[in-house]
């Protein structure tokens, strides 16, 4: 995927397929990539790990939007939705996100760490070597800190890189006696400095929606975050529009969801530098329409695809499956889907050091037992990698499981 631009549609013939190739790894990075024979002749002293039979090697997959730090289950929401209640109705009745907040607050930090670790390891087996993880089920200074510390600890225990994001602006906590702006002001004043001090995250997210925070109330919050040097990301246009405009106005790194985006929002995103992140897992989870991915790409936007793995709207947590399904419904090329879960997803996390198989980048990659890269998405997620490397180390090997 070298040489493909960050934005816009991509035809499959723009992909470079290297045959009989090899990768030279040193100190966790890709030192060279090219013909196996040539590399072997040039690097006589090197230890060789040769794959037998045909394999397709892809960059390690990047899941740029998850909520895998949580406690409890929302199986009852699923049953209620299928019986006719909407996601927003369930939220209004005190279920939904608030239910997970209640359960997460009860969980000690080590319990959250363990669950996050377990889920991250499941994603790793599916090829995911970098995974964003949001807080947002604490909704107080102390409880958000507990979540972000758990995420940091989990990161030290897993092979994948966990990229933490503060989502204290997920919803107005029901036990908060005061206004939305009062809550956000308190978070900005008390939590933001600790996030910096402890190195817990450099990303601030907010859910902009009628049931969560309005664009007016979020503006001073984002303003403060920007002054402190945080990157901004937004849960935008999930059920109603408005969030994507805030993302563009605040020069956010990404605007995620976009299921409700119309041609106006699509045009706005396409001419901005904001990465548009589709979350097909939430569409599948809620039975809603997909993000207009085809239109976004055709308008010239940069499209990333992430799992949104969370206990409520997206419990499946399988990036490859969801990306393949989005591809089918939105008529995306193989190249567009693969870009969306690799280098375009890296851009959604503001990471320049990964996402392509290229000299100088991290040696994160996964191998699929096939001679044709198209088999991967064609199998709609049922075809998983047999081996996964993180920083040049073999982190998962199907044969030893
Ligand atoms: O991205 N939309 C808001 N937040 C999450 C869902 C969280 C939940 O339902 O627990 C999302 O879909
Ligand atoms: Fe989300």
């Amino acid at each position: 995927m070298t040489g493909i631009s960050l934005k816009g549609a991509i035809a499959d013939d723009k992909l470079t397929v290297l045959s009989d190739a090899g990768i030279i790894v040193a100190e966790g990075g890709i030192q060279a990539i090219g013909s196996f024979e040539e590399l072997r002749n040039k690097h006589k002293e090197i230890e060789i790990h040769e794959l037998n039979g045909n394999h397709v090697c892809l960059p390690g997959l990047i899941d740029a939007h998850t909520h895998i730090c949580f406690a409890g289950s929302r199986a009852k929401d699923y049953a209620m939705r299928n019986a006719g209640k909407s996601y927003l109705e369930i939220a209004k009745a005190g279920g939904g996100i608030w239910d997970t907040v209640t359960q997460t607050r009860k969980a000690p930090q080590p319990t959250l760490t363990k669950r996050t670790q377990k889920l991250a390891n499941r994603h790793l087996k599916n090829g995911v070597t970098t995974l964003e993880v949001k807080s947002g089920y604490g909704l107080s200074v102390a409880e958000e800190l507990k979540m972000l510390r758990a995420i940091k600890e989990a990161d030290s225990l897993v092979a994948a890189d966990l990229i933490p994001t503060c989502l204290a602006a997920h919803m107005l906590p029901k036990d908060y006696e005061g206004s939305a702006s009062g809550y956000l002001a308190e978070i900005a004043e008390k939590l933001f400095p600790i996030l910096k001090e402890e190195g817990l995250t450099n990303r601030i997210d907010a859910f902009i929606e009628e049931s969560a925070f309005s664009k007016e109330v979020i503006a001073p919050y984002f303003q403060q975050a920007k002054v402190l040097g945080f990157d901004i990301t937004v849960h935008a246009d999930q059920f109603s529009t408005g969030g994507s405009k805030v993302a563009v106005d605040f020069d956010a790194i990404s605007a995620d969801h976009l299921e409700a985006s119309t041609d106006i929002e699509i045009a706005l995103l396409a001419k901005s530098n904001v990465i548009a992140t589709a979350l097909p897992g939430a569409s599948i989870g809620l039975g809603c329409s997909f993000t207009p991915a085809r239109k976004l790409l055709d308008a010239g936007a940069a499209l990333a695809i992430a799992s949104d793995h969370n206990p409520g709207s997206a419990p499946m947590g399988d990036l490859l499956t969801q990306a393949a399904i989005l591809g089918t419904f939105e008529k995306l090329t193989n190249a567009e889907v693969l870009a969306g879960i690799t280098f375009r997803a890296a851009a959604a996390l503001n990471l320049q050091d990964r996402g392509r198989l290229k000299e100088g980048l991290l040696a994160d990659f996964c191998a699929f037992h096939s001679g044709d890269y198209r088999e991967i998405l064609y199998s709609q997620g049922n075809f998983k990698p047999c081996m996964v490397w993180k920083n040049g180390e073999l982190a998962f090997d199907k044969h030893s499981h």
Side-chain angles (χ1 to χ4, degrees), residues 64-82:
H65 182 137
T66 87
H67 307 248
I68 60 162
C69 182
F70 63 90
S73 157
R74 299 247 294 281
K76 72 171 179 292
D77 287 18
Y78 171 76
M80 278 163 78
R81 280 198 307 275
N82 289 359

Side-chain angles (χ1 to χ4, degrees), residues 26-319:
E27 286 163 17
I30 298 176
Q31 206 182 60
I33 178 164
S35 145
F36 182 84
E37 281 311 312
E38 276 172 33
L39 289 173
R40 190 168 52 183
N41 292 339
K42 244 200 257 167
H43 301 263
K44 293 265 188 266
E45 303 296 289
I46 212 144
E47 180 196 327
I48 296 178
H49 183 164
E50 198 171 343
L51 304 187
N52 296 316
N54 286 326
H55 287 79
V56 177
C57 190
L58 292 182
L61 308 184
I62 297 175
D63 193 340
H65 182 137
T66 87
H67 307 248
I68 60 162
C69 182
F70 63 90
S73 157
R74 299 247 294 281
K76 72 171 179 292
D77 287 18
Y78 171 76
M80 278 163 78
R81 280 198 307 275
N82 289 359
K85 288 257 179 296
S86 76
Y87 182 76
L88 293 178
E89 279 166 357
I90 294 167
K92 270 195 200 123
I97 295 171
W98 187 248
D99 189 354
T100 303
V101 171
T102 309
Q103 302 188 63
T104 304
R105 283 180 176 180
K106 280 190 206 141
Q109 190 179 312
T111 308
L112 293 178
T113 303
K114 250 210 185 109
R115 182 115 183 235
T116 309
Q117 179 187 5
K118 204 172 141 199
L119 290 174
N121 285 336
R122 211 180 85 193
H123 283 276
L124 181 85
K125 287 184 187 172
N126 294 344
V128 178
T129 48
T130 298
L131 191 75
E132 188 253 20
V133 187
K134 299 177 194 293
S135 65
Y137 295 125
L139 308 188
S140 71
V141 173
E143 291 295 325
E144 286 291 304
L145 277 174
K146 181 179 83 182
M147 286 194 75
L148 288 159
R149 287 173 182 149
I151 296 165
K152 186 171 181 173
E153 207 184 338
D155 176 49
S156 72
L157 298 170
V158 300
D161 287 330
L162 305 187
I163 309 295
T165 302
C166 175
L167 179 57
H170 201 181
M171 67 176 278
L172 182 62
K174 291 195 192 294
D175 55 4
Y176 185 82
E177 316 223 332
S179 65
S181 48
Y183 169 70
L184 294 177
E186 186 178 323
I187 292 292
E189 187 198 335
K190 301 202 178 125
L191 181 61
F192 284 4
I194 309 177
L195 299 181
K196 287 277 168 193
E197 265 164 45
E198 288 189 32
L200 289 172
T201 179
N202 59 3
R203 294 165 44 84
I204 301 294
D205 192 352
F207 185 19
I208 299 180
E209 190 57 56
E210 282 152 16
S211 62
F213 295 97
S214 69
K215 54 184 189 302
E216 290 79 19
V217 96
I218 220 67
Y221 182 70
F222 276 173
Q223 200 53 56
Q224 268 167 290
K226 287 203 75 133
V227 168
L228 292 174
F230 287 102
D231 281 348
I232 302 288
T233 175
V234 186
H235 276 71
D237 302 358
Q238 185 181 12
F239 302 107
S240 58
T241 56
S244 50
K245 168 125 177 31
V246 177
V248 173
D249 289 347
F250 280 91
D251 212 6
I253 305 298
S254 76
D256 305 20
H257 273 294
L258 311 174
E259 294 90 332
S261 298
T262 69
D263 290 349
I264 298 168
E265 288 75 33
I266 291 170
L268 204 64
L269 288 164
K271 66 171 196 289
S272 77
N273 292 320
V274 179
I275 309 289
T277 303
L279 306 174
S283 304
I284 297 165
L286 299 179
C288 297
S289 58
F290 287 105
T291 300
R294 180 73 266 148
K295 282 188 166 185
L296 280 158
L297 286 165
D298 288 343
L303 181 83
I305 305 168
S307 75
D308 195 19
H309 193 183
N310 75 70
S313 63
M316 183 205 288
D318 187 329
L319 179 64

Side-chain angles (χ1 to χ4, degrees), residues 12 15 17 54-58 320-321 324 328 333-335 337-338 367-385:
D12 279 344
L15 284 175
V17 180
N54 286 326
H55 287 79
V56 177
C57 190
L58 292 182
L320 199 56
T321 300
T328 308
T333 64
N334 278 282
V337 173
L338 294 176
F368 295 78
H369 200 28
S370 168
D372 182 348
Y373 81 90
R374 293 171 304 187
E375 295 281 348
I376 297 168
L377 296 174
Y378 162 69
S379 307
Q380 299 196 291
N382 197 31
F383 180 24
K384 302 294 189 204

